[in-house]
Amino acid sequence: MSLSHVVVWLDHAQAHIIHFNRDTAETAVLKSGAVNAHLHTKSAGGSGHAAENIGYLNEIAAHVKEALEILIVGPGQEKMTLIKHLQKQHHAVAEKVVGVETVDHPSDGQLLAWARKYFVKIDNMLGTA
């Protein structure tokens, strides 16, 4: 049985990627290598935002490319940065994204339980359950 669903929880410091189906799950944690994980204020002449970490975004894309459906979640703007990157650089992966949601900082178990409920709703709506 394949692990057709993927949930990606990310911020600019790390990504938790869970491939799963109804009975099984596999988790990977990727570190971004960001030096300053919490850049909140504008520095002299700067925008107050860290630059995109293309290597990190590409690594996430590589981990999810085999999935049939992808849910991207996280607490801040990094999830939108990932979506935009996928749309520009990984079109086939971007087409598999079924949702983008704001989710704070769950444990991997909480994230998996939430994602399973989310995909039941999506699968029922799409008639793929």
Side-chain angles (χ1 to χ4, degrees):
M1 187 180 294
S2 68
L3 302 178
S4 59
H5 294 94
V6 174
V7 61
V8 178
W9 178 96
L10 77 152
D11 62 12
H12 48 281
Q14 63 183 340
H16 291 246
I17 302 169
I18 304 175
H19 292 259
F20 66 96
N21 60 24
R22 187 181 62 205
D23 304 314
T24 306
E26 296 175 1
T27 303
V29 178
L30 306 177
K31 303 289 183 179
S32 73
V35 175
N36 187 357
H38 296 287
L39 184 60
H40 292 290
T41 60
K42 291 184 181 180
S43 56
S47 67
H49 300 286
E52 284 184 23
N53 185 336
I54 301 301
Y56 174 56
L57 299 175
N58 284 335
E59 190 174 2
I60 294 169
H63 270 78
V64 302
K65 69 181 179 182
E66 300 300 323
L68 297 179
E69 295 179 314
I70 302 166
L71 172 62
I72 299 175
V73 301
Q77 292 301 313
E78 193 69 15
K79 60 188 175 288
M80 296 311 298
T81 301
L82 176 60
I83 288 293
K84 290 175 186 174
H85 178 75
L86 293 176
Q87 290 170 341
K88 289 179 185 175
Q89 301 297 324
H90 305 275
H91 303 286
V93 176
E95 291 176 358
K96 298 176 185 182
V97 175
V98 296
V100 179
E101 300 286 336
T102 299
V103 175
D104 197 17
H105 291 82
S107 68
D108 287 346
Q110 291 169 324
L111 180 60
L112 178 59
W114 187 85
R116 281 189 168 135
K117 288 179 185 176
Y118 184 93
F119 276 110
V120 165
K121 291 177 190 174
I122 291 292
D123 290 346
N124 286 337
M125 191 170 62
L126 297 175
T128 59

